[in-house]
Amino acid sequence: MENEHPKPPISGVIYGTICYWIVIVGILVAIVGMSMYFISGGCFDTEILLDSLWEGKVVEEVWAEASCVGHLPEGHWYLNFDLLSHGDVIAMVGVAIICCAAVVGMWGAFVGTVRSREKLYAVLALIIAIILTLSAIGVITLE
Amino acid sequence: MELSAIEFFFTFLAISIVIGMIAVLGGVGGGVVFTPLMMGFTPIDSFIIRGTGLLVAMAGSLIAARPFLNRGLANIRLLLLAGVPYAIFAVIGALLAGYIQETAGETGEAIIRLSLGILIIGIAALIFFGGRKVEYPEIKNVDSITERLALATSYYEQSLGKVVYYKVKRAPVGILIFCFVGLVSGLFGLGAGWAMVPTLNLAMLAPLKVAAASSKVLIGIGDTAAVWPYMKDGAIFALFAVPCVIGMVIGTIIGAKIMIKIKAGFVRWLIIAVMAGAGIKLILDGVSRLGSS
């Protein structure tokens, strides 16, 4: 039928839905974290952080001068249990959740392509999902 | 600049809302306006801005994915095909950015600013001259490789009140271009809708709406691959990133709503002016840093 709405591929629907909701959750967590940061402070001293940013200092200097850690951390530093009482660290967890959206979404798309028996596209979805996962878990790193 | 943390948060929230709105109205992604503007007109270190720029471009794109994919406007097969070279090269670009940052010092910063300035002026020129855009390209012959990839599909076009069936062609050319686009995106912290839409519409001959929707969704995939190295290298700070992400998402939603009601022509001129200004500032900055390094 010319006017009948075509059914969108299930892999795309799964990817889009997962991404949308994960981003919403991430934004909410980030907002809660920032509210806590403004009320009770956080790991970063706001005054020193802002001064460092406005002075154009590089990442290492900003961390050394403004953070409670005192040096550039490694890996998923915001998942450190000792730091999770700080509002800005919770906000960073929210940011990390947002960054996970496409990773989880692409695994969902992979399942969708497998279920609809699109072999080539299942392989492509798998490749992208693996790249995103490697990037997220830190196998791909700047160091 | 003497701003309290709350003032800083709301200032950047407001700036990002405006950037998100004008970006949507001007038909470009948020990152391509955000990154050069912040690099050109704030003293914040470019590595921090580029990481945040990727995050900003990615968040808007991930939010837009659901409606575009549910309506079939974004072609998931096209996304997966382009996503592989785009994601791989976006990661390479991000790694290259980190390498330059760590090894080349002030000269590296100067080269990054100079090349981004030239690129941004090139993009502004591309928008200025408009480029040839074809709403529904006509395809007579599809090459055998693209044919085998079965990228032809359909979607319901509301403005026409009917289903639009379409094909695409030249998939191998598209894949090559996406390698370059991914590299630029990861290196400079830009979304790359400005390059993807012409690639999909003019090189692969996808309908304009499909090209725009697919490119918007694709940014979320490639930028996710590129943003994690910045995240884990400590280049993203909540106080700077959170207001920019929230602002960009709000601005994108508002922009998408008012786009239906207003003529976006003047916004296009505004974007060209802002990008040209930021580009010139970046080039001057890059040249002066090169001279002093």
Side-chain angles (χ1 to χ4, degrees):
Chain A
M1 291 287 283
E2 176 82 350
N3 291 326
E4 205 172 291
H5 290 235
K7 210 174 165 190
I10 186 71
S11 48
V13 174
I14 294 173
Y15 174 80
T17 307
I18 290 175
C19 286
Y20 182 84
W21 287 111
I22 291 181
V23 171
I24 296 290
V25 170
I27 287 178
L28 291 176
V29 173
I31 290 172
V32 170
M34 289 312 289
S35 308
M36 286 172 62
Y37 187 34
F38 292 137
I39 293 167
S40 56
C43 178
F44 281 88
D45 182 304
T46 52
E47 216 167 293
I48 303 174
L49 174 61
L50 287 180
D51 285 346
S52 306
L53 289 177
W54 284 124
E55 284 165 22
K57 290 189 174 164
V58 295
V59 174
E60 289 83 356
E61 290 173 321
V62 178
W63 274 92
E65 291 169 16
S67 78
C68 58
V69 184
H71 57 86
L72 189 65
E74 285 180 9
H76 296 283
W77 59 272
Y78 40 82
L79 295 180
N80 183 334
F81 195 73
D82 297 333
L83 297 176
L84 275 173
S85 55
H86 299 296
D88 52 347
V89 179
I90 293 173
M92 277 308 294
V93 172
V95 171
I97 291 173
I98 295 171
C99 294
C100 282
V103 184
V104 182
M106 194 47 70
W107 282 109
F110 167 64
V111 173
T113 49
V114 169
R115 279 177 57 184
S116 50
R117 292 184 186 149
E118 298 169 278
K119 283 182 196 161
L120 171 66
Y121 290 98
V123 172
L124 292 176
L126 181 64
I127 293 171
I128 299 173
I130 290 172
I131 293 169
L132 298 186
T133 307
L134 290 178
S135 184
I137 62 176
V139 173
I140 298 169
T141 159
L142 296 181
E143 312 252 319
Chain B
M1 192 184 281
E2 287 297 318
L3 285 177
S4 72
I6 293 181
E7 286 167 347
F8 180 89
F9 183 92
F10 284 103
T11 303
F12 276 88
L13 180 73
I15 291 171
S16 302
I17 289 175
V18 175
I19 291 176
M21 278 168 58
I22 63 168
V24 170
L25 294 172
V28 293
V32 78
V33 183
F34 178 88
T35 303
L37 209 59
M38 293 292 167
M39 269 175 74
F41 298 103
T42 73
I44 299 172
D45 180 60
S46 78
F47 192 61
I48 297 170
I49 291 175
R50 280 178 282 149
T52 310
L54 277 174
L55 186 69
V56 157
M58 183 194 74
S61 154
L62 292 171
I63 284 282
R66 188 170 78 145
F68 286 155
L69 286 163
N70 282 359
R71 286 166 54 197
L73 255 182
N75 181 336
I76 185 73
R77 289 185 166 186
L78 205 51
L79 290 176
L80 294 174
L81 186 72
V84 174
Y86 182 51
I88 291 173
F89 278 84
V91 170
I92 294 173
L95 295 179
L96 198 58
Y99 179 77
I100 292 170
Q101 171 83 6
E102 282 189 8
T103 57
E106 189 64 13
T107 310
E109 178 75 20
I111 292 169
I112 289 282
R113 282 176 185 267
L114 192 61
S115 357
L116 180 60
I118 294 167
L119 180 70
I120 289 300
I121 289 183
I123 298 168
L126 193 74
I127 300 171
F128 178 79
F129 292 110
R132 197 166 43 90
K133 279 181 185 152
V134 190
E135 211 158 347
Y136 301 104
E138 209 174 295
I139 298 179
K140 285 171 187 154
N141 302 312
V142 179
D143 54 286
S144 62
I145 296 175
T146 312
E147 186 81 62
R148 273 190 224 158
L149 292 168
L151 292 165
T153 184
S154 61
Y155 70 97
Y156 183 77
E157 176 53 65
Q158 220 156 0
S159 64
L160 300 175
K162 67 171 190 175
V163 175
V164 172
Y165 296 89
Y166 66 92
K167 298 174 186 173
V168 296
K169 63 191 286 186
R170 298 193 204 111
V173 177
I175 289 170
L176 277 179
I177 300 175
F178 276 108
C179 294
F180 166 75
V181 172
L183 190 72
V184 169
S185 183
L187 180 60
F188 294 116
L190 307 170
W194 53 271
M196 285 195 244
V197 177
T199 304
L200 293 169
N201 182 232
L202 299 178
M204 297 178 72
L205 300 187
L208 188 56
K209 269 195 179 178
V210 173
S214 299
S215 109
K216 185 78 179 167
V217 180
L218 198 49
I219 289 169
I221 298 171
D223 287 2
T224 295
V227 81
W228 278 106
Y230 285 93
M231 273 282 282
K232 297 190 70 193
D233 216 40
I236 292 177
F237 297 95
L239 186 57
F240 182 44
V242 174
C244 295
V245 167
I246 297 173
M248 191 62 71
V249 169
I250 295 173
T252 303
I253 293 169
I254 297 173
K257 289 202 169 165
I258 58 176
M259 187 160 73
I260 306 161
K261 296 173 190 163
I262 69 158
K263 282 189 178 177
F266 81 96
V267 184
R268 206 173 179 77
W269 286 107
L270 180 67
I271 285 180
I272 290 168
V274 167
M275 288 177 76
I280 291 166
K281 176 87 172 50
L282 282 167
I283 290 173
L284 294 175
D285 210 14
V287 170
S288 108
R289 278 169 191 253
L290 267 183
S292 61
S293 64

